[in-house]
Amino acid sequence: MKILVRAYYEEAKWLQVQKMPTMEEYMALALVTSGYSMLATTSVIGMGDVVTKKLLIGYSVSPRLFEQKRGHVASAVECYMKQHGASEEETHVEFNKQVTNAWMDINEECLNPTAVPKPILTRVVNLARVVDVVYKNEDGYTHSGTVLKDFVTSMIIDPVPI
């Protein structure tokens, strides 16, 4: 929690001085401020003996790439465009490549034996799947009344019969 709050404070300082961080600076902070690590950790609480203190302390997970359209610190898209002189379209193509590569890494790691119990891996991968759906083509969290509304409706209100 302290790490997350410190990262939010750093973002606030960037906003105050209108700093345009490098992609590396942005991603280092965004990996924390996305809250993914905290969500992944809290999602395994209550799983019983499969979750140990050693496991919680020893592993860390995180991603985040998305645009912003309000008064926030620069987005990953803006940072990448400025640093690499890329267009918005070129930036999205690059980010899609990075996401594809990340999924290949995740899938490969899930196939290899690991000290992390399978139920925990499944929980963390499922969280990554949710993030992928929410942010696949746009910031579905901020604009939840469009894409996310349709996903939730199709899953809960109009589910496909099995």
Side-chain angles (χ1 to χ4, degrees):
M1 179 64 101
K2 288 180 184 178
I3 294 168
L4 183 60
V5 171
R6 285 185 188 119
Y8 284 146
Y9 179 67
E10 189 63 29
E11 271 191 355
K13 290 192 310 189
W14 286 356
L15 179 61
Q16 186 70 30
V17 298
Q18 297 295 297
K19 177 179 178 163
M20 176 68 73
T22 66
M23 210 35 215
E24 292 76 19
E25 290 172 321
Y26 176 85
M27 289 306 294
L29 205 59
L31 291 174
V32 177
T33 61
S34 69
Y36 185 84
S37 289
M38 185 169 284
L39 284 172
T41 302
T42 56
S43 74
V44 300
I45 302 300
M47 288 183 70
D49 295 339
V50 74
V51 180
T52 64
K53 185 176 182 177
K54 179 182 176 188
L55 187 72
L56 289 174
I57 292 171
Y59 293 93
S60 171
V61 269
S62 39
R64 173 170 145 167
L65 300 168
F66 59 88
E67 294 181 60
Q68 49 94 149
K69 301 211 188 286
R70 299 171 296 194
H72 290 273
V73 71
S75 69
V77 171
E78 293 164 331
C79 292
Y80 188 91
M81 287 170 60
K82 180 169 186 195
Q83 184 174 343
H84 297 281
S87 69
E88 188 170 347
E89 184 178 333
E90 291 167 331
T91 301
H92 283 285
V93 167
E94 174 59 27
F95 284 4
N96 284 333
K97 284 182 197 171
Q98 291 180 20
V99 169
T100 298
N101 290 338
W103 275 113
M104 288 192 305
D105 291 345
I106 289 168
N107 290 331
E108 183 179 333
E109 289 299 319
C110 286
L111 294 173
N112 295 326
T114 177
V116 179
K118 197 68 159 178
I120 292 175
L121 284 177
T122 301
R123 184 91 38 119
V124 173
V125 170
N126 283 341
L127 181 56
R129 288 176 179 142
V130 169
V131 171
D132 189 54
V133 166
V134 172
Y135 295 104
K136 187 70 161 189
N137 298 312
E138 67 176 312
D139 182 350
Y141 181 78
T142 301
H143 309 289
S144 59
T146 56
V147 177
L148 275 187
K149 182 179 178 183
D150 293 340
F151 281 130
V152 171
T153 300
S154 68
M155 287 181 56
I156 297 173
I157 298 171
D158 302 321
V160 175
I162 297 178

